[in-house]
Amino acid sequence: YSNFIDDLRVYVKGGAGGMGYPHLGGEGGRGGDVWFVARERTTLKSIREKYPQKRFVAGTGANSTVRALKGEKGKDCEVHVPLGISVLDDDGRQIGELNAAGERFLAARGGLGGSLATNFLPCKGQRRTVHLDLKLIADVGLVGFPNAGKSSLLSKISHAKPEIANYAFTTIQPELGKIMYSDYKQISVADLPGLIEGAHANKGMGHKFLKHVERTKQLLLVVDISGFQLSIKTQFRTAFETILLLTKELELYKEELVTKPALLAINKMDLPCAKSNLDELMTQLENPRDFLHSLEEEIIPTDILEFREVIPISTYTGEGIEELKTSIRKSIDEQAEQVNEEYRKKKLLLLQTSK
């Protein structure tokens, strides 16, 4: 995670106001403000490299003079930040959010200039330390244990080129790719670092992974049909148990995550016995409650995810990849239509109420 920064602590200070002019009742200029402005193709890493001191101070307001009784306002300081930033104070409370390009947040207000009300003495600008907390914004978030094939899948469905190898935790930082469709529609997909059991309690990459799931519109669980075992010290999990565990980790971190629309990609269908394993898994998914009695209670989630579609795939042979892309498009379009319908109903209700 060393090359990817998703949290940055910075100091911001509004400019001090200018001096007033007592003899003629002149007012000093107000101090400049510090603004965070959301901008595409910006990273927290580039901010840290460009401003190693991580200090942002706005300009001081001009003093009132005989020639200019009203002093000019100090120069504002604008800091370009990535999309998907939450601004937190030192106590961890969220005080602002920037999700779309061009959105602005006033981080530190400049001080008032000297005037009759302040005995012509200027006021200092607001100063504080804030955290810029990045949560990736994507249409679809790939969720799965290490080596499930998420990076391989991202490289198959988009132009992204994530690192791929046959050892756990190949992905140590989020990767973003875009699926391009023939009608020029684009859907963004985020490949996020692999979960492990106990991720909700910050084991492994824990919260560094899970917080990025919050901003995705939908989930795409990627599961190895042959099951998963992180190491010889950990227990082997079947594909069905893997799905339950992933759901449990999401649920324990934040319950709302399991209410997101979800698709399931069953990967590595090129392996021997994959077909019989898939038949068994589909039977389990049809009536999951019938198969929970033999499992440990701690891996069973309160609510079992309901998948819009289950798509068997192989990133090795390309089987099911086109079908998966079609399913993702269909699911995203249906969700957008549902949101639009809810918005239309709300507007209609407001109009009826106002009449």
Side-chain angles (χ1 to χ4, degrees):
Y1 233 44
S2 56
N3 291 324
F4 181 78
I5 300 170
D6 53 13
D7 180 79
L8 194 65
R9 189 169 179 261
V10 298
Y11 174 78
V12 289
K13 180 184 174 186
M19 290 286 291
Y21 198 78
H23 298 301
L24 298 174
E27 288 186 12
R30 205 167 72 79
D33 304 317
V34 180
W35 292 88
F36 293 143
V37 183
R39 192 177 185 180
E40 290 178 347
R41 291 187 288 278
T42 303
T43 64
L44 291 181
K45 186 183 179 187
S46 66
I47 295 172
R48 192 179 70 174
E49 288 173 351
K50 193 174 179 181
Y51 307 99
Q53 299 296 320
K54 295 179 287 183
R55 288 173 59 89
F56 300 99
V57 181
T60 304
N63 294 333
S64 171
T65 64
V66 175
R67 291 183 179 180
L69 289 177
K70 177 70 177 174
E72 285 189 11
K73 182 178 182 292
K75 188 178 179 183
D76 287 348
C77 173
E78 288 194 353
V79 186
H80 293 134
V81 298
L83 276 59
I85 283 287
S86 294
V87 186
L88 313 175
D89 64 15
D90 247 357
D91 296 325
R93 288 174 302 190
Q94 184 171 312
I95 53 176
E97 201 170 46
L98 297 158
N99 292 322
E103 284 187 355
R104 298 165 66 85
F105 172 75
L106 181 59
R109 191 181 293 278
L112 294 172
S115 64
L116 184 63
T118 63
N119 202 23
F120 300 99
L121 295 173
C123 300
K124 290 180 180 179
Q126 183 183 12
R127 62 179 78 186
R128 58 181 170 183
T129 302
V130 296
H131 291 263
L132 301 177
D133 188 45
L134 175 67
K135 293 173 185 172
L136 289 180
I137 300 174
D139 295 313
V140 180
L142 301 184
V143 178
F145 284 135
N147 274 19
K150 299 186 304 301
S151 298
S152 300
L153 178 58
L154 186 67
S155 68
K156 286 282 185 184
I157 61 177
S158 75
H159 296 294
K161 293 181 172 59
E163 187 179 338
I164 299 165
N166 61 349
Y167 53 86
F169 296 119
T170 307
T171 307
I172 56 170
Q173 65 185 49
E175 290 276 358
L176 273 173
K178 283 191 176 177
I179 308 175
M180 309 283 286
Y181 292 90
S182 55
D183 62 351
Y184 303 108
K185 165 88 172 179
Q186 296 182 24
I187 290 177
S188 57
V189 181
D191 170 26
L192 303 153
L195 280 169
I196 62 168
E197 290 183 48
H200 69 278
N202 217 10
K203 286 186 182 175
M205 294 179 183
H207 294 174
K208 274 190 174 291
F209 159 80
L210 285 163
K211 74 173 188 177
H212 293 298
V213 183
E214 292 180 53
R215 292 283 177 92
T216 57
K217 293 177 186 173
Q218 300 197 5
L219 305 178
L220 173 57
L221 269 67
V222 185
V223 172
D224 186 335
I225 188 60
S226 57
F228 170 72
Q229 187 173 19
L230 184 64
S231 70
I232 53 170
K233 294 179 182 177
T234 58
Q235 193 172 339
F236 172 80
R237 300 294 185 187
T238 64
F240 180 61
E241 290 173 330
T242 301
I243 293 165
L244 295 178
L245 269 168
L246 289 170
T247 308
K248 184 75 173 178
E249 291 301 332
L250 294 171
E251 184 182 82
L252 288 171
Y253 177 72
K254 195 165 276 190
E255 282 183 30
E256 305 94 84
L257 293 182
V258 295
T259 64
K260 287 179 182 284
L263 298 170
L264 175 62
I266 308 295
N267 193 21
K268 305 191 182 179
M269 287 302 296
D270 53 285
L271 295 176
C273 303
K275 184 72 176 69
S276 58
N277 287 344
L278 179 65
D279 292 339
E280 183 184 350
L281 177 61
M282 294 305 287
T283 305
Q284 292 168 322
L285 289 175
E286 278 175 21
N287 298 292
R289 299 284 173 193
D290 297 346
F291 298 91
L292 301 181
H293 58 274
S294 59
L295 304 176
E296 311 99 291
E297 199 172 314
E298 59 267 21
I299 77 165
I300 300 171
T302 308
D303 294 304
I304 294 168
L305 270 174
E306 290 186 14
F307 300 104
R308 291 191 169 194
E309 283 191 61
V310 179
I311 308 100
I313 64 166
S314 168
T315 55
Y316 182 70
T317 64
E319 175 195 340
I321 297 297
E322 287 305 314
E323 186 190 341
L324 177 61
K325 286 165 72 172
T326 304
S327 298
I328 291 170
R329 170 71 183 268
K330 181 185 168 190
S331 186
I332 289 288
D333 287 348
E334 283 175 358
Q335 186 182 13
E337 183 55 41
Q338 189 180 343
V339 170
N340 290 338
E341 186 61 34
E342 286 171 4
Y343 176 75
R344 283 194 291 268
K345 284 179 181 176
K346 198 177 287 184
K347 289 286 281 185
L348 187 62
L349 188 64
L350 282 169
L351 283 169
Q352 289 169 346
T353 310
S354 61
K355 284 177 183 177

